[in-house]
Amino acid sequence: MIQNKLSVKKIVFIITFTVASILINYSGSVLAGIIAFPLYLDSILTIAVVALCGLIPGLICAALSNLLLCIYAHTGILFMTCHLSTAIVAWLVFRNENKKNPS
């Protein structure tokens, strides 16, 4: 039986990486709006959070990134469903790969 224990170091990493990704998602989207260039940093970093930290931090990253954008950059709140779907699909892909290739 594999036990999934969270050490203090791992919890600090998850929180730090998730918060940094949220801030970068927000900043990248604002920058993309200013220069009119379709940067999709929010998806890349959300997938990175899912890969490194798990589904729940990935969903938090997606939701809070889009909430900040909705409040401060006046983007549509419905885009959050797309971003949450990205996190869920990424998690399913990583979970499937881990089942295929257990370490």
Side-chain angles (χ1 to χ4, degrees):
M1 183 165 118
I2 299 173
Q3 293 182 0
N4 190 6
K5 294 184 180 180
L6 290 177
S7 67
V8 174
K9 267 185 176 178
K10 189 169 184 176
I11 292 170
V12 169
F13 172 77
I14 289 171
I15 292 169
T16 304
F17 189 68
T18 302
V19 169
S21 294
I22 291 167
L23 296 174
I24 294 169
N25 282 348
Y26 173 75
S27 301
S29 291
V30 170
L31 176 65
I34 291 170
I35 63 173
F37 187 74
L39 295 174
Y40 297 107
L41 290 176
D42 55 346
S43 295
I44 294 168
L45 288 171
T46 299
I47 292 168
V49 170
V50 171
L52 296 174
C53 305
L55 177 62
I56 300 302
L59 291 173
I60 291 169
C61 179
L64 291 181
S65 296
N66 281 283
L67 187 61
L68 285 173
L69 287 167
C70 181
I71 293 169
Y72 297 109
H74 308 293
T75 60
I77 193 71
L78 291 178
F79 183 67
M80 188 182 297
T81 58
C82 177
H83 203 168
L84 292 171
S85 298
T86 298
I88 292 168
V89 169
W91 177 74
L92 290 170
V93 168
F94 293 129
R95 186 183 73 161
N96 186 42
E97 281 302 310
N98 284 338
K99 283 183 179 179
K100 281 189 204 174
N101 303 312
S103 21

